[in-house]
Amino acid sequence: QLQLVESGGGSVPTGGTLILACKVSRNIDFLGRVAWYRQAPGNQRELVARITSTGLTHYEDFAQGRFIISRGAAKDTVFLQMNNLKPEDTATYYCMTDSPVVAWGQGTQVTVSS
């Protein structure tokens, strides 16, 4: 019954900013952690960032200093603010959780033009 729905993707020029949202059908405090992944065509899906129920965050190197993962005050949404976007950030972005169960959203497309 757990559902995750991403939104906020779009097309932006290099250097632009997008804020992605992952709306969860459960209070995110009940989830051990929520993560953002991305996958470009022909590439393996890769972790972008994750946040735990206690607010601890982790960023992959390419996201560190540019991206911010956060929890909304309503406790049903996890955001990913992406600043200074680069063409190599172009991908489908997915949110997911693995605790207590594994669940993935359908993804939202991010395109960064060069």
Side-chain angles (χ1 to χ4, degrees), residues 3 17 19 28 60 64 66 73 75-76 81-82 99 110:
Q3 295 180 334
T17 294
I19 302 176
I28 60 174
E60 292 299 288
Q64 183 69 47
R66 293 195 298 135
K75 302 295 186 181
D76 64 353
Q81 179 171 327
M82 304 187 294
S99 49
V110 171

Side-chain angles (χ1 to χ4, degrees), residues 1-9 19-26 28 31 34-36 76-80 92-97 103-109:
Q1 303 94 332
L2 180 62
Q3 295 180 334
L4 294 80
V5 180
E6 304 93 338
S7 63
I19 302 176
L20 308 183
C22 173
K23 188 173 180 63
V24 182
S25 62
R26 300 279 299 276
I28 60 174
L31 306 179
V34 176
W36 284 95
D76 64 353
T77 308
V78 173
F79 297 97
L80 182 70
T92 301
Y93 284 71
Y94 302 86
C95 62
M96 67 87 67
T97 186
W104 290 84
Q106 293 297 308
T108 185
Q109 179 66 39

Side-chain angles (χ1 to χ4, degrees), residues 47-82:
L47 176 69
V48 178
R50 63 174 177 259
I51 188 167
T52 72
S53 61
T54 59
L56 297 177
T57 59
H58 167 81
Y59 299 92
E60 292 299 288
D61 287 344
F62 67 83
Q64 183 69 47
R66 293 195 298 135
F67 296 179
I68 303 170
I69 189 168
S70 62
R71 301 176 299 174
K75 302 295 186 181
D76 64 353
T77 308
V78 173
F79 297 97
L80 182 70
Q81 179 171 327
M82 304 187 294

